[in-house]
Coordinates of all heavy atoms in Angstrom, one line a residue:
R49 N 86.7 119.1 154.3 CA 87.3 119.4 153.0 C 86.6 118.8 151.8 O 86.7 119.3 150.7 CB 88.8 119.0 153.0 CG 89.6 119.4 154.2 CD 89.4 120.9 154.5 NE 90.4 121.4 155.5 CZ 90.3 122.5 156.1 NH1 89.2 123.3 156.0 NH2 91.2 122.9 157.0
I50 N 85.8 117.8 152.1 CA 85.1 117.1 151.0 C 84.0 118.0 150.4 O 83.6 117.7 149.3 CB 84.5 115.8 151.6 CG1 84.2 114.8 150.4 CG2 83.2 116.1 152.4 CD1 83.8 113.4 150.9
L51 N 83.7 119.0 151.1 CA 82.6 119.9 150.6 C 83.1 120.8 149.4 O 82.3 121.3 148.6 CB 82.1 120.9 151.7 CG 81.5 120.2 152.9 CD1 81.0 121.2 153.9 CD2 80.3 119.3 152.4
I52 N 84.5 121.0 149.3 CA 85.0 121.7 148.2 C 84.7 121.1 146.8 O 84.1 121.6 146.0 CB 86.5 122.0 148.4 CG1 86.7 123.0 149.6 CG2 87.1 122.6 147.1 CD1 86.4 124.4 149.3
P53 N 85.2 119.8 146.6 CA 84.9 119.1 145.4 C 83.4 118.9 145.2 O 82.9 118.9 144.1 CB 85.7 117.8 145.4 CG 86.0 117.6 146.9 CD 86.1 119.0 147.5
T54 N 82.7 118.7 146.3 CA 81.3 118.5 146.2 C 80.6 119.7 145.7 O 79.7 119.6 144.9 CB 80.7 118.1 147.6 OG1 81.3 116.9 148.1 CG2 79.2 117.8 147.5
S55 N 81.0 120.9 146.2 CA 80.4 122.1 145.7 C 80.7 122.4 144.3 O 79.9 123.0 143.5 CB 80.8 123.3 146.6 OG 82.2 123.6 146.4
S56 N 81.9 122.0 143.8 CA 82.3 122.1 142.4 C 81.4 121.3 141.5 O 80.9 121.8 140.5 CB 83.8 121.7 142.3 OG 84.1 121.6 140.9
M57 N 81.1 120.1 142.0 CA 80.2 119.2 141.2 C 78.8 119.8 141.2 O 78.1 119.7 140.2 CB 80.3 117.8 141.7 CG 79.4 116.9 140.8 SD 79.8 115.1 141.2 CE 78.6 114.4 140.0
A58 N 78.4 120.3 142.4 CA 77.0 120.9 142.5 C 76.9 122.1 141.5 O 75.8 122.3 140.9 CB 76.8 121.3 143.9
F59 N 77.9 122.9 141.4 CA 77.9 124.0 140.4 C 77.7 123.5 139.0 O 76.9 124.0 138.3 CB 79.3 124.7 140.6 CG 79.5 125.7 139.5 CD1 78.8 126.9 139.4 CD2 80.5 125.5 138.5 CE1 79.0 127.8 138.4 CE2 80.7 126.4 137.5 CZ 80.0 127.6 137.5
T60 N 78.4 122.4 138.6 CA 78.3 121.8 137.3 C 76.9 121.3 137.1 O 76.3 121.4 136.0 CB 79.3 120.7 137.1 OG1 80.6 121.2 137.3 CG2 79.2 120.1 135.7
L61 N 76.3 120.7 138.2 CA 75.0 120.1 138.1 C 73.9 121.2 137.9 O 73.0 121.0 137.1 CB 74.6 119.4 139.4 CG 75.0 117.9 139.4 CD1 74.9 117.3 140.8 CD2 74.2 117.1 138.4
V62 N 74.1 122.4 138.5 CA 73.2 123.5 138.4 C 73.1 123.9 136.9 O 72.0 124.1 136.3 CB 73.6 124.7 139.3 CG1 72.8 125.9 138.9 CG2 73.3 124.3 140.7
L63 N 74.3 124.1 136.3 CA 74.4 124.5 134.9 C 73.8 123.4 134.0 O 73.1 123.6 133.0 CB 75.8 124.7 134.5 CG 76.6 125.8 135.2 CD1 78.0 126.0 134.7 CD2 75.8 127.1 135.1
W64 N 74.0 122.1 134.3 CA 73.6 121.0 133.5 C 72.0 120.9 133.6 O 71.4 120.5 132.6 CB 74.2 119.7 134.0 CG 73.9 118.5 133.2 CD1 74.4 118.2 132.0 CD2 73.0 117.5 133.5 NE1 73.9 117.0 131.5 CE2 73.0 116.5 132.5 CE3 72.1 117.3 134.6 CZ2 72.2 115.4 132.5 CZ3 71.3 116.2 134.6 CH2 71.3 115.2 133.5
V65 N 71.4 121.2 134.7 CA 70.0 121.1 134.9 C 69.3 122.0 133.8 O 68.2 121.6 133.3 CB 69.6 121.4 136.3 CG1 68.1 121.7 136.4 CG2 69.9 120.3 137.3
V66 N 69.9 123.1 133.5 CA 69.3 124.0 132.5 C 69.2 123.3 131.2 O 68.2 123.3 130.5 CB 70.1 125.3 132.4 CG1 69.5 126.2 131.3 CG2 70.2 126.0 133.7
A67 N 70.3 122.6 130.8 CA 70.3 121.9 129.5 C 69.3 120.8 129.5 O 68.6 120.6 128.5 CB 71.7 121.4 129.2
I68 N 69.3 120.0 130.5 CA 68.4 118.8 130.6 C 67.0 119.2 130.6 O 66.1 118.5 130.1 CB 68.8 117.9 131.7 CG1 68.3 116.4 131.5 CG2 68.2 118.4 133.0 CD1 69.0 115.7 130.3
S69 N 66.7 120.4 131.2 CA 65.3 120.9 131.3 C 64.8 121.2 129.9 O 63.6 121.0 129.5 CB 65.2 122.2 132.2 OG 65.6 121.9 133.5
I70 N 65.7 121.8 129.1 CA 65.3 122.1 127.7 C 65.1 120.8 126.9 O 64.1 120.7 126.1 CB 66.4 122.9 127.0 CG1 66.5 124.3 127.6 CG2 66.2 123.1 125.5 CD1 67.5 125.2 127.1
L71 N 65.9 119.8 127.2 CA 65.6 118.5 126.5 C 64.2 117.9 126.9 O 63.5 117.4 126.0 CB 66.7 117.4 127.0 CG 66.4 116.0 126.5 CD1 66.4 115.9 125.0 CD2 67.5 115.1 127.1
I72 N 63.9 118.1 128.2 CA 62.5 117.6 128.6 C 61.4 118.3 127.8 O 60.4 117.7 127.4 CB 62.4 117.8 130.1 CG1 63.4 116.9 130.9 CG2 60.9 117.6 130.6 CD1 63.4 117.2 132.4
I73 N 61.6 119.6 127.5 CA 60.6 120.4 126.9 C 60.5 120.0 125.4 O 59.4 119.8 124.9 CB 60.9 121.9 127.0 CG1 60.8 122.4 128.4 CG2 60.0 122.7 126.1 CD1 61.3 123.8 128.7
V74 N 61.7 119.8 124.7 CA 61.6 119.5 123.3 C 61.6 118.0 123.0 O 61.6 117.6 121.9 CB 62.9 120.1 122.6 CG1 62.9 121.6 122.8 CG2 64.2 119.5 123.0
Y75 N 61.6 117.2 124.1 CA 61.7 115.8 124.0 C 60.7 115.2 122.9 O 61.1 114.4 122.1 CB 61.5 115.2 125.3 CG 61.6 113.7 125.4 CD1 62.8 113.0 125.2 CD2 60.5 112.9 125.8 CE1 63.0 111.7 125.3 CE2 60.6 111.5 125.9 CZ 61.9 110.9 125.7 OH 62.0 109.5 125.8
P76 N 59.4 115.5 123.0 CA 58.5 114.9 122.0 C 58.6 115.4 120.6 O 58.2 114.7 119.7 CB 57.1 115.3 122.6 CG 57.3 116.5 123.4 CD 58.7 116.3 124.0
F77 N 59.3 116.6 120.4 CA 59.4 117.2 119.1 C 60.6 116.6 118.4 O 60.8 116.8 117.2 CB 59.6 118.7 119.2 CG 58.4 119.3 119.9 CD1 58.5 119.8 121.2 CD2 57.2 119.5 119.2 CE1 57.4 120.4 121.8 CE2 56.1 120.1 119.8 CZ 56.2 120.5 121.2
I78 N 61.6 115.9 119.1 CA 62.7 115.3 118.4 C 62.7 113.8 118.4 O 63.7 113.1 118.3 CB 64.0 115.8 119.0 CG1 64.1 115.5 120.5 CG2 64.2 117.3 118.8 CD1 65.4 115.9 121.2
G79 N 61.5 113.3 118.7 CA 61.3 111.8 118.5 C 61.0 111.1 119.8 O 60.8 109.8 119.8
G80 N 61.0 111.8 121.0 CA 60.8 111.1 122.2 C 59.3 110.9 122.5 O 58.5 111.6 122.0
T81 N 59.1 109.9 123.4 CA 57.7 109.6 123.8 C 57.6 109.6 125.3 O 58.4 108.8 125.9 CB 57.2 108.3 123.2 OG1 57.3 108.4 121.8 CG2 55.7 108.1 123.6
Y82 N 56.7 110.3 125.9 CA 56.6 110.2 127.4 C 55.9 108.9 127.8 O 54.8 108.5 127.2 CB 55.7 111.4 127.9 CG 56.3 112.7 127.7 CD1 55.7 113.7 126.9 CD2 57.5 113.0 128.3 CE1 56.3 115.0 126.8 CE2 58.1 114.3 128.1 CZ 57.5 115.2 127.4 OH 58.1 116.5 127.2
H83 N 56.5 108.1 128.7 CA 56.0 106.8 129.1 C 56.5 106.6 130.5 O 57.3 107.2 131.0 CB 56.5 105.7 128.1 CG 57.9 105.8 127.8 ND1 58.9 105.5 128.6 CD2 58.5 106.3 126.6 CE1 60.1 105.7 128.1 NE2 59.9 106.2 126.9
W84 N 55.9 105.5 131.1 CA 56.1 105.2 132.5 C 57.6 104.8 132.8 O 58.1 105.0 133.9 CB 55.2 104.1 133.0 CG 55.5 102.8 132.5 CD1 55.0 102.2 131.4 CD2 56.4 101.8 133.0 NE1 55.5 100.9 131.2 CE2 56.4 100.7 132.2 CE3 57.2 101.8 134.2 CZ2 57.2 99.5 132.4 CZ3 58.0 100.7 134.4 CH2 58.0 99.6 133.6
I85 N 58.3 104.3 131.8 CA 59.7 103.9 132.0 C 60.6 105.1 132.4 O 61.6 105.0 133.0 CB 60.2 103.2 130.8 CG1 59.4 101.9 130.6 CG2 61.7 102.9 130.9 CD1 59.8 101.1 129.3
L86 N 60.1 106.3 132.0 CA 60.9 107.5 132.3 C 61.0 107.7 133.8 O 61.9 108.4 134.3 CB 60.2 108.7 131.7 CG 60.3 108.8 130.2 CD1 59.4 110.0 129.7 CD2 61.7 108.9 129.7
L87 N 60.1 107.1 134.6 CA 60.2 107.2 136.0 C 61.5 106.5 136.6 O 61.9 106.9 137.7 CB 59.0 106.5 136.7 CG 57.6 107.1 136.3 CD1 56.5 106.2 136.9 CD2 57.5 108.5 136.9
L88 N 62.1 105.7 135.8 CA 63.4 105.1 136.2 C 64.6 106.0 136.0 O 65.6 105.7 136.6 CB 63.6 103.8 135.5 CG 62.6 102.6 135.7 CD1 62.9 101.5 134.8 CD2 62.6 102.2 137.1
Y89 N 64.4 107.0 135.2 CA 65.5 107.9 134.9 C 66.1 108.6 136.1 O 67.4 108.6 136.2 CB 65.0 109.0 133.9 CG 66.1 110.0 133.6 CD1 67.2 109.7 132.9 CD2 66.0 111.3 134.1 CE1 68.2 110.6 132.6 CE2 66.9 112.3 133.8 CZ 68.1 111.9 133.1 OH 69.0 112.8 132.8
P90 N 65.4 109.1 137.1 CA 66.1 109.7 138.3 C 66.9 108.7 139.0 O 68.0 109.1 139.5 CB 64.9 110.2 139.1 CG 63.8 110.4 138.2 CD 63.9 109.3 137.1
L91 N 66.5 107.4 139.1 CA 67.3 106.4 139.7 C 68.7 106.2 139.0 O 69.7 106.2 139.7 CB 66.6 105.1 139.8 CG 67.3 103.9 140.3 CD1 67.8 104.1 141.7 CD2 66.5 102.6 140.1

């Protein structure tokens, strides 16, 4: 049964990935700087 709420969250994550992908693209244009510390972000 735990797969039901897990799939609900996975659905939200799929939609959210689209938004965060756009942030990654426009990141340097709104003041961000690509640097090695970004490697900690997935963690």
Side-chain angles (χ1 to χ4, degrees):
R49 308 314 190 194
I50 200 171
L51 297 180
I52 292 286
T54 300
S55 67
S56 172
M57 185 166 177
F59 168 70
T60 303
L61 272 171
V62 169
L63 300 181
W64 184 80
V65 165
V66 178
I68 202 68
S69 299
I70 292 178
L71 171 61
I72 293 172
I73 295 171
V74 303
Y75 185 64
F77 302 103
I78 57 177
T81 303
Y82 294 122
H83 45 75
W84 71 268
I85 296 177
L86 292 175
L87 296 175
L88 297 176
Y89 175 68
L91 171 64

